[in-house]
Every structure is written in C-alpha cells, then in structure tokens.
Amino acid sequence: MDFGRLRRVLAACALLLPLAAALAQEEPVAGGTAIVVLGADPEHLNPGISTSYPVGAVGANIYSGLVRLNAEGRPEGDLAESWTVSDDGLVYTFTLREATFHDGTPVTSADVAYSMNEVEGPNHGRFLNAYQRIAAIETPDERTVVIRLSEPYAPLISLLTVFDAPVLPRHVYEGTDPLTNPANFEPVGSGPFRFSEWVRGERVEIVRNDDYFREDERALLDRIIFRIVPQDVARSTAIEVGEADLLWGFYLPPADLPRLEANPDVQTWQGITIPALYFVFVNTQSEGLSDPRVRQALMHAIDIEQIVEQAQGGLGQAASGPFGAGFAYAYSEETDYRTLYPYDPERARELLAEAGVSDLTLRFVYDSARSAFASAGEIMRDQLRQVGITLLLEPAERAVMVDRVYNRDYDLSMQSFTSGGDPAIGYHRIYLSAEPGTPFVNATGYSNPEVDELLAEAGALADQDARAQVYDQVLEVLARDLPVLVMFDELNTEAASADLRGMRTLLDQRDGLEFLWFAR
Amino acid sequence: MSGASEAGRSVWSYVLGRVLNAVPLVLGVVVVNFLLLTLAPGDPVTALVGDYPAPPDYVERVRQQYGLDRPLPEQLVRYVASVLRGDLGYSFANRQPVATLLLERLGRTLVLMLTTVVVASAVGLALGVLAARRPHSVTDAAATGFALAGYAVPEFWLGQILILVFAVWLQWLPAGGFRSVRESYEGFAALLDHARHMLLPMAALSFRYMAITTRLTRASLLEVMNTQYIVAARARGISERTILWRHALRAAALPVVTVIGYNFGFIVAGSALVETVFGWPGIGRLMYDSIFARDYPVLLGILLLVSVTVIVVNLVTDVLYSVLDPRVRY
C-alpha cells in the first residue's frame, strides 16, 4: 500500500469536504440583480431578424421558441408542449402550451406561423436554411402548428429555438415592416424576463416575468442588467473588481484567464457547450496549393499543441477531423487527423518534395481584431519556415478580411466556426461546392460532387446510425483531399462572481438566465 | 459710444461672413467624407448580415433597402440633399435615425470634453506660468518634465494604467461606465456618482492637453517677458506681479487660446479611444463601433458633427482674439 498517496488523497478529501457540504446545503435563493457583460450594444432586440450575438443574448431571455436545447444539446419543449414527426420525416406537428405575451395576449399557433413566414423566413440568416425546405405552415387550431417540409431536414428541430425562430407577437408586428417595427427596441415576448430599459452604450435591463408560463421555472433573480463593456481588458477588470457578475467566453480574452483563475472572488469554468472549431482555410485554387500533398504537408508541419498552448491560452483540444469532437456520429477512428497527420516536419518536407514544390510563399489573411489569430500566425510562420515555406502575415479588419477570403484572394486564413448544434447547420457550408463571393460559404474553392451528394444525404437523415454511415464516407474523402487544415475544438470558458449559481443549465451560455441565483 | 457700436457691427459682419464661408467648407467636408468612406474596402451588408451565410437575394434586398445598390454619384447626391434638408440618414446597424443616435450620445461626450478642456487649460496655464516665472529652476524642470511625459504618453495606454492602479489595485474609483449600474442613485448622489466615474477618463484625456498648454504658456510667456514693453514696465517700477498677470499673460495667452481651440478637434479623436477604454457611452465610442459595422450614415454624421464643431470653435477663437488683443480689428 502506498501510504504517501493515500495520505494525499485523504488530505484532498478533507479539504474538499467543507466545500462539498457547502454545495450540498445550497438551496436556490430568489431575488437580487445580476450584471452580465456584453461587448457591444445589441443592434436591436429582435432575435427573429438577426444572428448577432448580443441580440441573441438579450432576446433569448425575453422571447420563447418552440423548443429549447438542454445542457446536452437535446431538444425539449419550450412553447411546444410536445411534438410528433411523420415517418417520412416531412410533417412535424407541435402542440403549444398555454402561455401569454408580456402584454397579456395569449400565444397562439397564428403567432408561430406569422413569425416563421413573415419575419424569420425572409430575414434570419440561419433559419433560412430550414425555411427553404418548408413547404407550408398550417394552424388547424390555436394550439396546433403543423410544419410540412418539401424534403427531410435533420437539423429542423435544432433550428426552432428562440435564437433562430423566436415566437413574436403577431398583433404587434402584423401590417408593419418587421425590420423597422418599434417593438424591435421594446420587445414583447413570452419568456422568463420582460424588457425594462435600454440606455444605449451603457446597459439593457430586463426584469422577472411573474406570469411566465413555466410556473416552476420562473426566474429567481429580480432583474438582469446587461452591461456594455466594449474593451476586452475592461471586461475582465469589471469581473475582477465586482462591477459585473458574469462574463461569457465569447467576450473573455484567453490571456486574462490565469489572472481571473487566481482571484478568489471569481469562479471560472472551461468546457464545450456548442461545439466550435478553429481551422485554417487553404485556397485550393492558389498556385502550389492545388496538390493535396502540399496541403497534407502543411498539416504535418503545423504543431497544433503549441498553437493551443501559446495562442489560445490552452483553451482547445486538437481536433479529430472536419466535424470536430462534438458529434459522435460524425467521427471515425480511421480518419482521425491526430493519427493521420501528427506534427512531423520531416514527413512534411518529403511530401513537398514529392509534389515538386519548393520556395513556396503564402499569404496568411486573418481578422486583425482576433489577437489569438495573430499569435497563431506568428507561430505558424516559424513552423512553416522549418519546411521551407514562407508565410506572410496579412492582418485585415474584419469587413476587409471577409471580402478577401470569400472572394478567394488569400492563400491561408484562420477562422473559427460554430457548429450551430449540428454539422449540417454549421459545417457543411465549408465543404459544399459554391461560387466565390458568398460570405461564410466555401472559401477554399474545393469542389467534389461526391462530397456534395453525401453531405446532402447526411443533412436529410434523421436517423443517427444511418447518418453515421454517410459521414464515414465523407470523412474518408476529406481526410485525403484536406481542403481545410482543421486545428482544434474550442474549449469554451466563462468567468463569474464566486457566489453566482445556475449557469449553463441550457446548451447556449446566453440562454436560461432565469436559472441564475446568488448564494450569499 | 458710436465707436463701440461700430466695432460691434464690424465683429458681427465678420462673424456672418465667416459663417457664410463655412457653408461650402462643410459641404466639401461632407463630399470628401462620403467618398473616403464608401471607397474604403469592406461592405456594410457583410457586417449587417452577421457571421452566417445569407442567400444572395436576401443580401440584394438589404442592399436595396439602404440604397446601396445605386451608383455612387447617385448615393452621394441623395446624401447631400438629405443633409441639406437636415436629415442625417438612418443607421444600418442600429436601425434608428442617425440624429437620434447622435443626440443621445452627444451630451455625455460634451460633459467629458468640456470638463477636460477647462481642467487641462487651467492646470496647463498655471503650470506654464509657474515654470516661466523662474526659468531653469526646480519648479520649471518639474513642469517641463511633466509636459514632456504628457506629450509622449498615449491616452489609451494611460487610461489602462489608471484603471489598473486606481480601480483594480487601490479600488478607489470605478473601472468604467458613466454611472453605477448596480445602484440607482438620485439627485446629488447621482451627480456625485457621475463625477466619480468621470475622474479617470478625464485624467487620461486631459494629460496630453495639459502638457501642450503648459509648454506653450511657458514658451510664450518667456518670450513676452523679454519684449521691450515689459522691460519698459519694469523700468517704470511696476511690480513683477502686476507685470506678469496684467501685461505679460494677456499677450502670452493669444497662442494659448489658439491651441485650446485647436485641441478641441483632437479631443474628439482622443475621446474615441478613451471612451472605448472606459466604456463611456459617448460619440467617440459610437464612432469606434460604427467603423467596425461599416455604418456609413452614422460615421458621416459624426464626421460632420466634428467638422462643424471645429469650424465653430475656430470662429469663436478668432473672435476671442479681438477681445484679448486690441490690435486685432475686423
């Protein structure tokens, strides 16, 4: 028996006991105000016409969707009490709960149909993907919504959340232009919080909705203040000095994490919520990059671990392939990039020699506001130099970067994409053939009819096993062609006041603020 | 009597002339700003659509909605015409009239700027006088050293250092914002709360202008003190104090007044950085956000506002000249 080890374990238990006891005793307490940091003013407060992060952050807590995604990413009813799907995957029938908007008007199926047909269908970047496949939305009675699809679409349910298809009050919006309706600034939702006040550049305030339809989940806090802090250093400072209570990873500079972790008044968290990937696009139409062997060489020449450690503050896990670690059905051990393309400069040099490429000079274009991308670029420049490739760092302001990359005026570009909760929502667009010029769709110029066909099939299959088989074939082709250098799965982070509880009860960090409370 | 009213009339006709001259200047500013902005790379629609692919027909619809599908000359003519009608346009990103947005922010920036100008000018003048009274003394060296440092340190960096020292380490002052969000104060307590929030951004913003004013006052005062009429005043036995305050300073203040006016323009630019560092929700912050959103109407509105401010301040400076210096006549 190793007594030294036993002693250490016992000592650790003794230290943890009071903490465990304290946690066990904690009962949710009602009341109080939490201050949540936003990096920028929302443009408005209507998540039905925007995919913007701050709009979703505030809007998700004022509005409701048909469904919500729990912490594991599985759909649960939100305004929908239950739903059924026809065997052919074409007809979805939802039964609504009894709920009212904040102005007292009942929520009906007509509000759902109106929101999708008139507001989100034409105006929501992400919901559009589903809407293009919706043939009709029927409302046989006030509590029933029937969505008929023209073709099966696996991610449909994931796109019916408050972020993509919030249920807006028809009586407020009908007959107006939804883009300019004043309710976009003073929203009337059916969610756990009501809109209270918005001082631009300073804060948005929401207060508890005492008539919230989910009676056992009425908000614990009296109010939440979203405080606008544009500068990243100032956001960490606000948490440190107690001027704010919650800071999401989206706004938290990774470099500040060690400082926040060392502060006893602050709790930090790391993990994966909605899977997201960091990768390097390769312009396959650039000179010297059209040969897959060159792209494989690049993958071998880049030490991902070093980038994660030094550029990302350790917030990442080397990725297994084009769909990352988020989806078990979209993974295959045979095509795991970590075993196929380990860091191996020697192998990289061999592949480059095979491809007959030497003295390659590549332009690395990235968003200058993302300091982690700049650091990654510097590290890559050193690593690629060792295999004889010169990397020119070309930072560009975001709007310019988007123009350049999606018009394929670049060689390599670092990007990060969220999966949106399903590979078909977030990742298919990277690999599907497309003409240049559409932002956020196929920047690499890669085009493979086989991949197009297989991805379309995978997007339509609701059965996960059947889907897994199709993805297996896709993974095989992509692992060989390597149009994108997949780097790492993003580890999400969060910093909060030490006594804040109830975070991340739902999948999206911004959602479910009604569960927050203070242990004091 | 008649002489005074004559002089009064001439000042007013001068002001009127200057105002009339300013009109083509403002128009020129509008046109140049418009061209500079729209010709810069980057597309407002990309910023509007968010970070998700949108179908081309959606993008086209947004473009039409904001008139971005029209040829550039037509866009320019439409914009100038609407500015002449007093309409500054509609913000793409905020979906609000530009004038509403600007008015909402203007007050907060003006409070910060005016206090900064007053404090920086007063302290700068005082330090400059102190330094000039005994050139090459310890006081002078200290003031000159301070001025050198103030000139060299960038506002945003100083702002961050001030936050680190006074907000994070000492916890004496708030780290940002323009009032407490947790507490809602009323009346005098609210005023005090605002003042506390303003101390650090004001300090960060005023350091440079304090320095410029100190250096200029010192140099200008030293020059005046060596002129014939001061030497003559000394010979008449007038006390040093009277010479300094009544004769020398009045003459020395001329270039200082010019520079205070001149500083206004720079403070607007500086406030963009300081307001961003301190989360002060003013015009500067709005400008910073609008650049990233390629929100042309808002940017044009702010640039127009700044240009008009600079023109007005120049005019006021010139009129002040005539009050300070009897030799200046219009």
Side-chain angles (χ1 to χ4, degrees), chain B residues 226-263:
Chain B
N226 288 325
T227 52
Q228 292 289 323
Y229 78 93
I230 297 291
V231 175
R234 280 211 183 97
R236 288 207 307 275
I238 297 171
S239 79
E240 273 301 307
R241 177 177 297 245
T242 314
I243 291 176
L244 179 72
W245 292 108
R246 189 150 314 152
H247 303 280
L249 201 56
R250 184 162 177 167
L254 282 177
V256 178
V257 167
T258 315
V259 114
I260 290 172
Y262 182 72
N263 279 347

mmCIF file of all heavy atoms in Angstrom, chain B residues 226-263:
data_model
loop_
_atom_site.group_PDB
_atom_site.id
_atom_site.type_symbol
_atom_site.label_atom_id
_atom_site.label_comp_id
_atom_site.label_asym_id
_atom_site.label_seq_id
_atom_site.Cartn_x
_atom_site.Cartn_y
_atom_site.Cartn_z
ATOM 1 N N ASN B 226 10.568 89.125 -22.320
ATOM 2 C CA ASN B 226 11.788 89.739 -22.811
ATOM 3 C C ASN B 226 11.532 90.869 -23.810
ATOM 4 O O ASN B 226 12.455 91.386 -24.407
ATOM 5 C CB ASN B 226 12.688 88.686 -23.461
ATOM 6 C CG ASN B 226 13.304 87.784 -22.408
ATOM 7 O OD1 ASN B 226 13.618 88.245 -21.310
ATOM 8 N ND2 ASN B 226 13.440 86.509 -22.725
ATOM 9 N N THR B 227 10.255 91.193 -24.011
ATOM 10 C CA THR B 227 9.985 92.233 -25.008
ATOM 11 C C THR B 227 10.205 93.616 -24.407
ATOM 12 O O THR B 227 10.251 93.781 -23.184
ATOM 13 C CB THR B 227 8.532 92.160 -25.542
ATOM 14 O OG1 THR B 227 7.674 92.136 -24.405
ATOM 15 C CG2 THR B 227 8.318 90.942 -26.403
ATOM 16 N N GLN B 228 10.281 94.589 -25.324
ATOM 17 C CA GLN B 228 10.584 95.968 -24.929
ATOM 18 C C GLN B 228 9.581 96.518 -23.918
ATOM 19 O O GLN B 228 9.945 97.144 -22.938
ATOM 20 C CB GLN B 228 10.572 96.859 -26.178
ATOM 21 C CG GLN B 228 11.703 96.578 -27.143
ATOM 22 C CD GLN B 228 13.048 97.020 -26.614
ATOM 23 O OE1 GLN B 228 13.147 98.053 -25.940
ATOM 24 N NE2 GLN B 228 14.086 96.238 -26.884
ATOM 25 N N TYR B 229 8.284 96.255 -24.167
ATOM 26 C CA TYR B 229 7.297 96.931 -23.309
ATOM 27 C C TYR B 229 7.311 96.392 -21.888
ATOM 28 O O TYR B 229 6.997 97.092 -20.943
ATOM 29 C CB TYR B 229 5.907 96.927 -23.947
ATOM 30 C CG TYR B 229 5.128 95.636 -23.843
ATOM 31 C CD1 TYR B 229 4.238 95.423 -22.804
ATOM 32 C CD2 TYR B 229 5.261 94.650 -24.813
ATOM 33 C CE1 TYR B 229 3.497 94.261 -22.722
ATOM 34 C CE2 TYR B 229 4.525 93.483 -24.745
ATOM 35 C CZ TYR B 229 3.643 93.289 -23.701
ATOM 36 O OH TYR B 229 2.921 92.156 -23.610
ATOM 37 N N ILE B 230 7.725 95.128 -21.706
ATOM 38 C CA ILE B 230 7.824 94.600 -20.352
ATOM 39 C C ILE B 230 9.040 95.221 -19.660
ATOM 40 O O ILE B 230 8.971 95.628 -18.492
ATOM 41 C CB ILE B 230 7.943 93.066 -20.365
ATOM 42 C CG1 ILE B 230 6.685 92.444 -20.978
ATOM 43 C CG2 ILE B 230 8.181 92.513 -18.961
ATOM 44 C CD1 ILE B 230 5.436 92.578 -20.143
ATOM 45 N N VAL B 231 10.132 95.297 -20.456
ATOM 46 C CA VAL B 231 11.335 95.924 -19.899
ATOM 47 C C VAL B 231 11.002 97.370 -19.478
ATOM 48 O O VAL B 231 11.368 97.831 -18.400
ATOM 49 C CB VAL B 231 12.492 95.913 -20.933
ATOM 50 C CG1 VAL B 231 13.703 96.682 -20.395
ATOM 51 C CG2 VAL B 231 12.866 94.485 -21.292
ATOM 52 N N ALA B 232 10.219 98.045 -20.349
ATOM 53 C CA ALA B 232 9.815 99.420 -20.057
ATOM 54 C C ALA B 232 8.955 99.482 -18.802
ATOM 55 O O ALA B 232 9.125 100.361 -17.949
ATOM 56 C CB ALA B 232 9.049 99.996 -21.248
ATOM 57 N N ALA B 233 8.038 98.512 -18.672
ATOM 58 C CA ALA B 233 7.169 98.471 -17.493
ATOM 59 C C ALA B 233 7.991 98.282 -16.231
ATOM 60 O O ALA B 233 7.747 98.919 -15.213
ATOM 61 C CB ALA B 233 6.160 97.338 -17.644
ATOM 62 N N ARG B 234 8.981 97.374 -16.329
ATOM 63 C CA ARG B 234 9.854 97.142 -15.173
ATOM 64 C C ARG B 234 10.562 98.447 -14.791
ATOM 65 O O ARG B 234 10.649 98.809 -13.628
ATOM 66 C CB ARG B 234 10.924 96.106 -15.523
ATOM 67 C CG ARG B 234 10.417 94.676 -15.456
ATOM 68 C CD ARG B 234 11.541 93.731 -15.048
ATOM 69 N NE ARG B 234 11.032 92.364 -15.058
ATOM 70 C CZ ARG B 234 11.187 91.538 -16.075
ATOM 71 N NH1 ARG B 234 11.864 91.927 -17.145
ATOM 72 N NH2 ARG B 234 10.687 90.338 -16.016
ATOM 73 N N ALA B 235 11.025 99.177 -15.842
ATOM 74 C CA ALA B 235 11.778 100.410 -15.607
ATOM 75 C C ALA B 235 10.903 101.452 -14.915
ATOM 76 O O ALA B 235 11.376 102.264 -14.140
ATOM 77 C CB ALA B 235 12.302 100.956 -16.942
ATOM 78 N N ARG B 236 9.585 101.380 -15.201
ATOM 79 C CA ARG B 236 8.672 102.329 -14.554
ATOM 80 C C ARG B 236 8.392 101.930 -13.122
ATOM 81 O O ARG B 236 7.649 102.585 -12.416
ATOM 82 C CB ARG B 236 7.352 102.416 -15.323
ATOM 83 C CG ARG B 236 7.478 103.135 -16.659
ATOM 84 C CD ARG B 236 6.165 103.785 -17.082
ATOM 85 N NE ARG B 236 5.046 102.869 -17.070
ATOM 86 C CZ ARG B 236 4.722 102.057 -18.087
ATOM 87 N NH1 ARG B 236 5.469 102.061 -19.183
ATOM 88 N NH2 ARG B 236 3.684 101.271 -17.991
ATOM 89 N N GLY B 237 8.945 100.794 -12.696
ATOM 90 C CA GLY B 237 8.808 100.377 -11.308
ATOM 91 C C GLY B 237 7.521 99.624 -11.011
ATOM 92 O O GLY B 237 7.110 99.483 -9.876
ATOM 93 N N ILE B 238 6.832 99.137 -12.046
ATOM 94 C CA ILE B 238 5.622 98.331 -11.831
ATOM 95 C C ILE B 238 6.047 96.985 -11.267
ATOM 96 O O ILE B 238 7.051 96.404 -11.681
ATOM 97 C CB ILE B 238 4.859 98.151 -13.158
ATOM 98 C CG1 ILE B 238 4.406 99.529 -13.652
ATOM 99 C CG2 ILE B 238 3.667 97.225 -12.996
ATOM 100 C CD1 ILE B 238 3.826 99.539 -15.029
ATOM 101 N N SER B 239 5.255 96.484 -10.296
ATOM 102 C CA SER B 239 5.662 95.255 -9.608
ATOM 103 C C SER B 239 5.653 94.059 -10.559
ATOM 104 O O SER B 239 4.889 94.014 -11.536
ATOM 105 C CB SER B 239 4.729 94.981 -8.439
ATOM 106 O OG SER B 239 3.534 94.405 -8.924
ATOM 107 N N GLU B 240 6.496 93.091 -10.275
ATOM 108 C CA GLU B 240 6.612 91.887 -11.106
ATOM 109 C C GLU B 240 5.258 91.203 -11.251
ATOM 110 O O GLU B 240 4.887 90.716 -12.306
ATOM 111 C CB GLU B 240 7.621 90.903 -10.484
ATOM 112 C CG GLU B 240 9.070 91.128 -10.883
ATOM 113 C CD GLU B 240 9.324 91.038 -12.377
ATOM 114 O OE1 GLU B 240 8.940 90.033 -12.998
ATOM 115 O OE2 GLU B 240 9.899 91.988 -12.932
ATOM 116 N N ARG B 241 4.530 91.170 -10.127
ATOM 117 C CA ARG B 241 3.228 90.502 -10.113
ATOM 118 C C ARG B 241 2.271 91.152 -11.122
ATOM 119 O O ARG B 241 1.656 90.476 -11.926
ATOM 120 C CB ARG B 241 2.658 90.585 -8.691
ATOM 121 C CG ARG B 241 1.269 89.998 -8.553
ATOM 122 C CD ARG B 241 0.843 90.063 -7.101
ATOM 123 N NE ARG B 241 1.710 89.250 -6.269
ATOM 124 C CZ ARG B 241 1.291 88.169 -5.608
ATOM 125 N NH1 ARG B 241 0.044 87.789 -5.700
ATOM 126 N NH2 ARG B 241 2.107 87.476 -4.872
ATOM 127 N N THR B 242 2.198 92.477 -11.080
ATOM 128 C CA THR B 242 1.306 93.188 -11.998
ATOM 129 C C THR B 242 1.762 92.984 -13.440
ATOM 130 O O THR B 242 0.948 92.770 -14.345
ATOM 131 C CB THR B 242 1.297 94.689 -11.666
ATOM 132 O OG1 THR B 242 1.161 94.836 -10.253
ATOM 133 C CG2 THR B 242 0.159 95.401 -12.364
ATOM 134 N N ILE B 243 3.067 93.056 -13.637
ATOM 135 C CA ILE B 243 3.592 92.850 -14.992
ATOM 136 C C ILE B 243 3.160 91.498 -15.518
ATOM 137 O O ILE B 243 2.627 91.366 -16.611
ATOM 138 C CB ILE B 243 5.142 92.958 -14.999
ATOM 139 C CG1 ILE B 243 5.554 94.404 -14.744
ATOM 140 C CG2 ILE B 243 5.705 92.457 -16.306
ATOM 141 C CD1 ILE B 243 7.042 94.594 -14.639
ATOM 142 N N LEU B 244 3.360 90.490 -14.662
ATOM 143 C CA LEU B 244 3.074 89.123 -15.093
ATOM 144 C C LEU B 244 1.601 88.945 -15.407
ATOM 145 O O LEU B 244 1.228 88.523 -16.494
ATOM 146 C CB LEU B 244 3.519 88.139 -14.000
ATOM 147 C CG LEU B 244 3.245 86.677 -14.317
ATOM 148 C CD1 LEU B 244 4.194 86.178 -15.396
ATOM 149 C CD2 LEU B 244 3.377 85.822 -13.067
ATOM 150 N N TRP B 245 0.769 89.312 -14.435
ATOM 151 C CA TRP B 245 -0.658 88.985 -14.584
ATOM 152 C C TRP B 245 -1.387 89.936 -15.506
ATOM 153 O O TRP B 245 -2.271 89.532 -16.229
ATOM 154 C CB TRP B 245 -1.346 88.939 -13.214
ATOM 155 C CG TRP B 245 -0.866 87.784 -12.391
ATOM 156 C CD1 TRP B 245 -0.067 87.840 -11.302
ATOM 157 C CD2 TRP B 245 -1.124 86.387 -12.621
ATOM 158 N NE1 TRP B 245 0.195 86.588 -10.837
ATOM 159 C CE2 TRP B 245 -0.452 85.665 -11.620
ATOM 160 C CE3 TRP B 245 -1.851 85.688 -13.576
ATOM 161 C CZ2 TRP B 245 -0.479 84.282 -11.539
ATOM 162 C CZ3 TRP B 245 -1.897 84.312 -13.501
ATOM 163 C CH2 TRP B 245 -1.210 83.620 -12.491
ATOM 164 N N ARG B 246 -1.011 91.221 -15.454
ATOM 165 C CA ARG B 246 -1.794 92.165 -16.230
ATOM 166 C C ARG B 246 -1.259 92.357 -17.642
ATOM 167 O O ARG B 246 -2.010 92.438 -18.587
ATOM 168 C CB ARG B 246 -1.869 93.514 -15.515
ATOM 169 C CG ARG B 246 -2.855 94.432 -16.210
ATOM 170 C CD ARG B 246 -3.547 95.414 -15.322
ATOM 171 N NE ARG B 246 -4.085 94.915 -14.079
ATOM 172 C CZ ARG B 246 -4.221 95.694 -12.997
ATOM 173 N NH1 ARG B 246 -3.802 96.939 -13.015
ATOM 174 N NH2 ARG B 246 -4.765 95.213 -11.913
ATOM 175 N N HIS B 247 0.050 92.374 -17.780
ATOM 176 C CA HIS B 247 0.605 92.702 -19.096
ATOM 177 C C HIS B 247 1.066 91.478 -19.874
ATOM 178 O O HIS B 247 0.646 91.262 -20.993
ATOM 179 C CB HIS B 247 1.764 93.689 -18.954
ATOM 180 C CG HIS B 247 1.363 94.938 -18.261
ATOM 181 N ND1 HIS B 247 0.694 95.961 -18.902
ATOM 182 C CD2 HIS B 247 1.500 95.341 -16.968
ATOM 183 C CE1 HIS B 247 0.435 96.933 -18.048
ATOM 184 N NE2 HIS B 247 0.919 96.580 -16.852
ATOM 185 N N ALA B 248 1.935 90.722 -19.226
ATOM 186 C CA ALA B 248 2.573 89.627 -19.962
ATOM 187 C C ALA B 248 1.573 88.535 -20.328
ATOM 188 O O ALA B 248 1.492 88.104 -21.472
ATOM 189 C CB ALA B 248 3.722 89.046 -19.141
ATOM 190 N N LEU B 249 0.794 88.108 -19.342
ATOM 191 C CA LEU B 249 -0.075 86.958 -19.563
ATOM 192 C C LEU B 249 -1.106 87.237 -20.657
ATOM 193 O O LEU B 249 -1.418 86.381 -21.456
ATOM 194 C CB LEU B 249 -0.763 86.577 -18.257
ATOM 195 C CG LEU B 249 -1.271 85.142 -18.219
ATOM 196 C CD1 LEU B 249 -0.140 84.169 -18.505
ATOM 197 C CD2 LEU B 249 -1.892 84.848 -16.869
ATOM 198 N N ARG B 250 -1.591 88.471 -20.667
ATOM 199 C CA ARG B 250 -2.589 88.806 -21.664
ATOM 200 C C ARG B 250 -2.038 88.611 -23.073
ATOM 201 O O ARG B 250 -2.702 88.064 -23.948
ATOM 202 C CB ARG B 250 -3.024 90.251 -21.457
ATOM 203 C CG ARG B 250 -4.124 90.635 -22.379
ATOM 204 C CD ARG B 250 -4.821 91.859 -21.900
ATOM 205 N NE ARG B 250 -5.833 92.229 -22.874
ATOM 206 C CZ ARG B 250 -6.780 93.094 -22.656
ATOM 207 N NH1 ARG B 250 -6.838 93.698 -21.483
ATOM 208 N NH2 ARG B 250 -7.657 93.380 -23.586
ATOM 209 N N ALA B 251 -0.818 89.039 -23.249
ATOM 210 C CA ALA B 251 -0.198 88.886 -24.568
ATOM 211 C C ALA B 251 0.161 87.425 -24.822
ATOM 212 O O ALA B 251 -0.017 86.905 -25.922
ATOM 213 C CB ALA B 251 1.064 89.749 -24.650
ATOM 214 N N ALA B 252 0.638 86.778 -23.758
ATOM 215 C CA ALA B 252 1.085 85.392 -23.932
ATOM 216 C C ALA B 252 -0.093 84.457 -24.172
ATOM 217 O O ALA B 252 0.063 83.383 -24.729
ATOM 218 C CB ALA B 252 1.862 84.942 -22.694
ATOM 219 N N ALA B 253 -1.298 84.889 -23.748
ATOM 220 C CA ALA B 253 -2.458 83.992 -23.840
ATOM 221 C C ALA B 253 -2.914 83.770 -25.279
ATOM 222 O O ALA B 253 -3.597 82.791 -25.565
ATOM 223 C CB ALA B 253 -3.599 84.558 -23.005
ATOM 224 N N LEU B 254 -2.511 84.701 -26.169
ATOM 225 C CA LEU B 254 -3.018 84.587 -27.544
ATOM 226 C C LEU B 254 -2.764 83.221 -28.199
ATOM 227 O O LEU B 254 -3.698 82.553 -28.617
ATOM 228 C CB LEU B 254 -2.437 85.712 -28.402
ATOM 229 C CG LEU B 254 -3.123 87.067 -28.202
ATOM 230 C CD1 LEU B 254 -2.407 88.122 -29.039
ATOM 231 C CD2 LEU B 254 -4.583 86.979 -28.590
ATOM 232 N N PRO B 255 -1.498 82.821 -28.278
ATOM 233 C CA PRO B 255 -1.282 81.494 -28.892
ATOM 234 C C PRO B 255 -1.927 80.372 -28.091
ATOM 235 O O PRO B 255 -2.338 79.360 -28.653
ATOM 236 C CB PRO B 255 0.240 81.344 -28.920
ATOM 237 C CG PRO B 255 0.780 82.383 -28.023
ATOM 238 C CD PRO B 255 -0.235 83.479 -27.933
ATOM 239 N N VAL B 256 -2.039 80.579 -26.768
ATOM 240 C CA VAL B 256 -2.635 79.534 -25.930
ATOM 241 C C VAL B 256 -4.114 79.355 -26.284
ATOM 242 O O VAL B 256 -4.617 78.238 -26.420
ATOM 243 C CB VAL B 256 -2.459 79.870 -24.436
ATOM 244 C CG1 VAL B 256 -3.123 78.804 -23.575
ATOM 245 C CG2 VAL B 256 -0.983 79.975 -24.090
ATOM 246 N N VAL B 257 -4.810 80.483 -26.484
ATOM 247 C CA VAL B 257 -6.217 80.408 -26.873
ATOM 248 C C VAL B 257 -6.346 79.651 -28.189
ATOM 249 O O VAL B 257 -7.218 78.789 -28.366
ATOM 250 C CB VAL B 257 -6.811 81.826 -26.985
ATOM 251 C CG1 VAL B 257 -8.161 81.773 -27.691
ATOM 252 C CG2 VAL B 257 -6.956 82.451 -25.618
ATOM 253 N N THR B 258 -5.459 79.968 -29.126
ATOM 254 C CA THR B 258 -5.498 79.269 -30.406
ATOM 255 C C THR B 258 -5.386 77.772 -30.200
ATOM 256 O O THR B 258 -6.117 76.972 -30.783
ATOM 257 C CB THR B 258 -4.311 79.713 -31.299
ATOM 258 O OG1 THR B 258 -4.221 81.106 -31.231
ATOM 259 C CG2 THR B 258 -4.504 79.254 -32.711
ATOM 260 N N VAL B 259 -4.449 77.395 -29.355
ATOM 261 C CA VAL B 259 -4.185 75.974 -29.202
ATOM 262 C C VAL B 259 -5.314 75.265 -28.445
ATOM 263 O O VAL B 259 -5.624 74.115 -28.717
ATOM 264 C CB VAL B 259 -2.800 75.766 -28.550
ATOM 265 C CG1 VAL B 259 -2.911 75.153 -27.168
ATOM 266 C CG2 VAL B 259 -1.962 74.856 -29.438
ATOM 267 N N ILE B 260 -5.968 76.013 -27.537
ATOM 268 C CA ILE B 260 -7.099 75.398 -26.838
ATOM 269 C C ILE B 260 -8.204 75.072 -27.857
ATOM 270 O O ILE B 260 -8.785 73.994 -27.852
ATOM 271 C CB ILE B 260 -7.632 76.308 -25.712
ATOM 272 C CG1 ILE B 260 -6.602 76.371 -24.585
ATOM 273 C CG2 ILE B 260 -8.966 75.797 -25.168
ATOM 274 C CD1 ILE B 260 -6.920 77.387 -23.496
ATOM 275 N N GLY B 261 -8.430 76.013 -28.754
ATOM 276 C CA GLY B 261 -9.419 75.781 -29.803
ATOM 277 C C GLY B 261 -9.010 74.610 -30.681
ATOM 278 O O GLY B 261 -9.806 73.727 -30.993
ATOM 279 N N TYR B 262 -7.749 74.635 -31.023
ATOM 280 C CA TYR B 262 -7.179 73.595 -31.881
ATOM 281 C C TYR B 262 -7.313 72.231 -31.213
ATOM 282 O O TYR B 262 -7.631 71.224 -31.839
ATOM 283 C CB TYR B 262 -5.727 73.979 -32.073
ATOM 284 C CG TYR B 262 -4.894 73.100 -32.953
ATOM 285 C CD1 TYR B 262 -5.091 73.102 -34.336
ATOM 286 C CD2 TYR B 262 -3.881 72.321 -32.422
ATOM 287 C CE1 TYR B 262 -4.300 72.321 -35.141
ATOM 288 C CE2 TYR B 262 -3.087 71.534 -33.229
ATOM 289 C CZ TYR B 262 -3.297 71.543 -34.592
ATOM 290 O OH TYR B 262 -2.515 70.781 -35.387
ATOM 291 N N ASN B 263 -7.102 72.203 -29.905
ATOM 292 C CA ASN B 263 -7.184 70.955 -29.133
ATOM 293 C C ASN B 263 -8.554 70.289 -29.242
ATOM 294 O O ASN B 263 -8.649 69.066 -29.178
ATOM 295 C CB ASN B 263 -6.907 71.217 -27.655
ATOM 296 C CG ASN B 263 -5.423 71.297 -27.371
ATOM 297 O OD1 ASN B 263 -4.611 70.926 -28.215
ATOM 298 N ND2 ASN B 263 -5.068 71.790 -26.200
#
